[in-house]
Amino acid sequence: MENILEFSFPVEGRSFNKAGDAAARVKQLLKQASIPSPFIRRAVVVAYEAELNMIIHSQGGTLRLAISPEQLTIQAVDQGPGIENLQRAMQEGYSTAPREARELGFGGGMGLSNIQRNADHLDIQSQQNEGTVLTAAIYLEKAASVS
Amino acid sequence: MQYIHSVHLDEDQCQACTICTKRCPTEAIRVYQGKARILEERCIDCGECMRTCPQEAKTSQTDPLEAVFAYPYAVALIAPSLYSQIPPAQFNIEGLVDGFSAVGFRAVADVSHGAEHVGEAYKQWISASETRPLISSACPAVVRLIQVKFDELTEHVMPIESPMEVTAELARRQLQDQGVKPEDIGIFFVSPCPAKVTAVKQPLGRSYSHVDGVLSFSDVYQELYPRLNEAGNPKGQRLFPMGRPGVRWGITAAQTYESEGIRMSLEGLDQVTAVLEDLSLGKLPDVDFIEANACPGGCIGGCLTVQSRFQAQVNLYRNLKHLPAKPQLDMDHFQRLYDQQFYMMHHALQPRPSQPLDPDISRAMQLMKRQEQILQTLPGLDCGACGSPNCQSLAEDIVRGWTTENDCIFILRESVQNLAKELWDLAQQVPPTIGRQKPSTEE
Ligand code: SF4
C-alpha cells in the first residue's frame, strides 16, 4: 500500500464555469502515469461526474485522485446537505438538482449512475446536513491481461 | 517514427523571446541556448507559431514553383480559399484558369469540387455511423491535434479523405481517361497553410498521396496575379465544375451543407481545444457533427495567404456570385464512388499520445512525485522565461531530464541571494591577521 501517489483538487460549490477543470487535470496526470487509455477514459468520466456533483449540490469540497499500480481511486469529499435517499439518487434520471443548475443544463440525474457504470467499486457515505464522501475505484489489474 | 514537418525555425532570425512557446497548442516549443526548438513528435504544423513570431523566424517549407515545370502536364489543385485572395474586380473563372495556364499549368482542378463530394460523403457517414459526435477530417492540423493531444477522441474523426486528396485522385483519373500519360501528370496543391503541406508529405489515414507537390499561396500569387485573364499557350482546361457550397468550404460553417442534425462550427485553435476538452469529459453527446478549423475564419485565415482574413471573406462572398447557387455534383457518380468506398481513408487514424513519464507505472509515479515537489517550489507565474511554456511544463521537463530547476529565474535569483548571503557571512569571519586588534606594545 505504500506505492500510492495522491493528488487533490479543491472544488468550489456553484462554480459551474469551472466544471471539468479538475477532471481535465486528472486526465493529464493519468496520461503521464502511462495508465492505459480505456482506464483513463472511465476515470475521467467518474472524476467529472463527481466534480459536477459537488458543484451542483454542495458548498464545495475536494476531489482526490490516488494512483497505484493496482487501482485508481477517485474520492469526492464535500460539505453539503448530504444525499437524502441514496437508492433513488442512483436511479437514472432522478435528480434533486436546484433550478439554478438545471437552467444551465446540469443536473440531468445521470451523474451517480454514470459513476457506477464506470467504476469497479463505489462507496458513498452521506450524513444529512454534513456532507458526502464518494469513493470510486477502478481496478487496473485487468490492464495487463487486456492490453 | 520520423515525423516530417513543414514548419521550421530560421535560427538566425530567432531572438528567443518565448512568445511562440505560449501560443503553441501542443506545447511543442522550448527555448534553449537562445533558440526556439520544436519537439518533432508534438508539432502539428498548425502554423500558429508562424503567425505569432514577431521576428518572422518560423517558416513553412513548400515546393518551389520551378518544381511544376518538371511535369509535362502540371495541374494546379486550388483550395476554395484561393477564391478569397483575388480582388473581385479582377475575378472571373475563365480568367483564373487563363492565369494559371500563363504561369505554366495545363489544368486547374478545384478542391471545391472535391469538397462537394466530401460534404455528401459526410452526410451519408453521419447517418451510417453510431459514433457521436463525428468530427470533420478536413483540417489536417485539427486531426493531428486530436491524435497528439486528445488521442482519446481519435475514433470521432470522420474516416473520410480530405477534399484535397479526393480532388487529386479524381483529377488523375480524369486526365488518364483523356489519354494523358500517368507519368506526365504532376498535381500541385496551392496551399493556404503549412498543415496541408505536411498532409501531403505524410498523409493521414493513407500511405501515399495523389498530390505531387505543394506550393504556397503567396509564392503562386506573385506569379499569378499579373497574369490573371491572360491566356497561356496552350490554353488551360478547368477539370471540374462546382457551385457556391463547395467554394464556401474556404470559410467556417460550410461543411455538411443543408443537412439534418445538430452541427457545430469551430474556428481557431482556442475554440477547437476548448470543445475537444469538453468532448473528452463526455460532454456534448447530442452533437452530430463538428466542423473544426484550426485557423480563425477557416482556411481563408491560413498563414500562407496574402489577404487579411476580413478582406478575404468579403472577396470570397463577392466572387461566389459568379458561381451556380447549387452544388454541381453528379449524384449518380457520387453514389457509385461512395459504394465503392472511394471516399474512405485507407486505414484507421492512429492516436499519437505524448510519451508518459515512464512506460512503467511505478516508475512513472516516482517521477510524478518529484514533478509535484518541483512544482511546489516554482512560483506559478507561468512567465515563460525558462523557455518552457509554463511552470507545470517546466516541472515536467525537469523530471524528463531535459533541463534543471535553475532555468527558473526566480529559483536562480533565490540561489544567487543565498549564495550572496553565504558569501557575506563568510566575509564576516575574518582571520586573526586581518581582524584581530593590534596588541598594544607601545606603552
Ligand atoms: S506549427 Fe503549431 S504545433 Fe508546430 S510548433 Fe508551431 S505552433 Fe506548435
Side-chain angles (χ1 to χ4, degrees):
Chain A
M1 281 309 267
E2 82 237 13
N3 197 1
I4 292 184
L5 187 56
E6 289 182 325
F7 299 90
S8 64
F9 316 95
V11 176
E12 273 173 61
R14 302 284 185 273
S15 60
F16 294 100
N17 56 336
K18 291 194 195 136
D21 286 8
R25 182 75 183 127
V26 165
K27 181 182 80 175
Q28 247 182 358
L29 288 165
L30 295 179
K31 282 187 182 181
Q32 283 194 328
S34 86
I35 305 295
S37 74
F39 296 98
I40 298 186
R41 197 181 287 221
R42 287 166 53 199
V44 167
V45 174
V46 171
Y48 178 55
E49 295 291 2
E51 181 185 358
L52 212 51
N53 275 344
M54 286 195 279
I55 292 174
I56 297 172
H57 297 283
S58 82
Q59 278 110 51
T62 309
L63 187 79
R64 295 204 184 112
L65 166 71
I67 308 173
S68 83
E70 294 79 37
Q71 71 173 60
L72 307 174
T73 315
I74 287 150
Q75 193 173 55
V77 183
D78 71 39
Q79 295 86 48
I83 301 173
E84 204 186 309
N85 184 333
L86 194 56
Q87 236 177 11
R88 282 189 34 214
M90 300 296 291
Q91 281 166 19
E92 279 189 17
Y94 178 81
S95 174
T96 58
R99 227 180 76 195
E100 178 199 1
R102 285 162 168 268
E103 275 167 0
L104 290 165
F106 296 102
M110 302 300 286
L112 285 180
S113 51
N114 232 346
I115 293 178
Q116 192 163 44
R117 205 164 329 118
N118 284 286
D120 292 312
H121 183 261
L122 176 62
D123 176 67
I124 299 176
Q125 302 293 331
S126 190
Q127 284 288 325
Q128 276 212 25
N129 299 322
E130 278 181 29
T132 304
V133 179
L134 175 153
T135 312
I138 291 167
Y139 302 134
L140 297 175
E141 281 122 335
K142 293 166 220 151
S145 53
V146 171
S147 61
Chain B
M1 162 129 192
Q2 267 312 102
Y3 291 108
I4 303 171
H5 288 293
S6 163
V7 175
H8 287 273
L9 176 80
D10 177 351
E11 291 215 348
D12 295 339
Q13 301 292 323
C14 179
Q15 301 290 320
C17 67
T18 75
I19 290 175
C20 58
T21 62
K22 299 206 159 272
R23 285 300 302 159
C24 173
T26 57
E27 300 189 342
I29 310 176
R30 300 290 181 275
V31 179
Y32 59 90
Q33 293 172 342
K35 301 291 166 210
R37 321 277 161 156
I38 301 176
L39 302 170
E40 299 274 308
E41 71 284 359
R42 288 196 196 167
C43 173
I44 59 170
D45 286 294
C46 63
E48 197 64 25
C49 53
M50 289 176 68
R51 225 193 292 272
T52 42
C53 178
Q55 309 296 329
E56 300 188 4
K58 296 281 197 335
T59 54
S60 168
Q61 280 178 356
T62 48
D63 293 305
L65 195 56
E66 294 73 58
V68 167
F69 307 120
Y71 293 88
Y73 208 103
V75 180
L77 197 63
I78 59 177
S81 43
L82 189 120
Y83 285 82
S84 71
Q85 302 295 300
I86 300 173
Q90 273 87 317
F91 180 81
N92 82 67
I93 298 267
E94 294 317 316
L96 182 67
V97 178
D98 287 344
F100 272 105
S101 69
V103 174
F105 292 92
R106 298 290 301 276
V108 167
D110 273 287
V111 171
S112 309
H113 173 76
E116 292 185 355
H117 281 261
V118 169
E120 233 11 81
Y122 279 1
K123 285 186 210 171
Q124 299 213 1
W125 187 258
I126 292 169
S127 18
S129 163
E130 291 189 343
T131 307
R132 286 295 183 276
L134 285 159
I135 306 170
S136 168
S137 57
C139 173
V142 169
V143 173
R144 281 190 294 265
L145 177 68
I146 292 171
Q147 288 176 293
V148 169
K149 196 174 172 187
F150 296 95
D151 51 288
E152 63 277 15
L153 299 174
T154 308
E155 64 189 34
H156 289 263
V157 178
M158 283 272 183
I160 297 201
E161 295 284 3
S162 70
M164 172 188 75
E165 204 52 62
V166 165
T167 313
E169 189 165 359
L170 290 172
R172 203 169 279 283
R173 287 185 181 188
Q174 181 151 327
L175 288 171
Q176 288 181 24
D177 288 348
Q178 288 179 11
V180 184
K181 280 197 258 147
E183 63 274 22
D184 286 353
I185 303 172
I187 300 184
F188 287 85
F189 182 63
V190 183
S191 180
C193 72
K196 284 281 184 198
V197 180
T198 312
V200 167
K201 312 283 172 188
Q202 197 160 55
L204 295 159
R206 58 189 300 141
S207 49
Y208 64 95
S209 171
H210 282 285
V211 182
D212 298 296
V214 186
L215 309 168
S216 94
F217 253 25
S218 29
D219 289 353
V220 173
Y221 195 76
Q222 289 172 18
E223 298 297 316
L224 178 71
Y225 188 68
R227 296 187 174 81
L228 283 171
N229 309 316
E230 162 194 309
N233 186 19
K235 218 169 141 45
Q237 64 163 328
R238 184 163 161 243
L239 293 181
F240 305 118
M242 78 271 181
R244 291 177 206 167
V247 179
R248 275 214 192 93
W249 276 55
I251 297 183
T252 309
Q255 302 179 16
T256 69
Y257 158 83
E258 284 188 343
S259 70
E260 306 280 305
I262 300 178
R263 289 173 290 158
M264 192 179 237
S265 301
L266 310 172
E267 56 180 32
L269 284 160
D270 292 338
Q271 278 189 10
V272 174
T273 302
V275 170
L276 293 177
E277 198 66 77
D278 280 357
L279 291 185
S280 77
L281 297 179
K283 298 191 204 175
L284 303 169
D286 305 332
V287 177
D288 293 300
F289 175 71
I290 298 180
E291 170 185 344
N293 296 314
C295 294
C299 299
I300 58 166
C303 59
L304 301 180
T305 56
V306 289
Q307 309 271 9
S308 91
R309 79 169 152 108
F310 304 103
Q311 180 64 55
Q313 188 161 354
V314 173
N315 291 350
L316 190 124
Y317 281 127
R318 290 187 59 191
N319 293 342
L320 275 178
K321 300 226 165 74
H322 296 261
L323 294 165
K326 291 269 167 221
Q328 298 298 296
L329 188 60
D330 173 348
M331 280 307 284
D332 293 335
H333 182 220
F334 164 80
Q335 200 59 51
R336 261 198 318 281
L337 290 174
Y338 188 86
D339 295 340
Q340 294 162 6
Q341 316 245 311
F342 172 77
Y343 303 104
M344 302 306 285
M345 287 181 180
H346 295 185
H347 50 76
L349 286 171
Q350 292 305 310
R352 283 172 39 193
S354 63
Q355 290 297 312
L357 294 181
D358 194 288
D360 176 75
I361 297 184
S362 300
R363 257 173 304 176
M365 283 169 56
Q366 293 301 318
L367 291 172
M368 286 169 77
K369 213 169 266 180
R370 244 204 91 210
Q371 178 180 269
E372 278 303 298
Q373 287 161 358
I374 294 169
L375 195 57
Q376 298 306 318
T377 67
L378 299 178
L381 294 172
D382 295 340
C383 71
C386 57
S388 297
N390 49 53
C391 297
Q392 201 167 298
S393 66
L394 176 65
E396 181 178 335
D397 291 352
I398 294 169
V399 297
R400 284 188 191 275
W402 296 350
T403 181
T404 67
E405 267 143 306
N406 280 336
D407 278 6
C408 172
I409 52 165
F410 294 90
I411 292 193
L412 184 68
R413 191 177 62 179
E414 222 176 274
S415 310
V416 170
Q417 250 172 17
N418 290 342
L419 195 68
K421 188 164 176 297
E422 268 172 50
L423 272 177
W424 175 254
D425 289 348
L426 214 61
Q428 299 307 304
Q429 298 168 17
V430 285
T433 43
I434 303 172
R436 199 175 291 163
Q437 282 182 351
K438 263 188 186 170
S440 49
T441 50
E442 236 63 302
E443 281 168 346

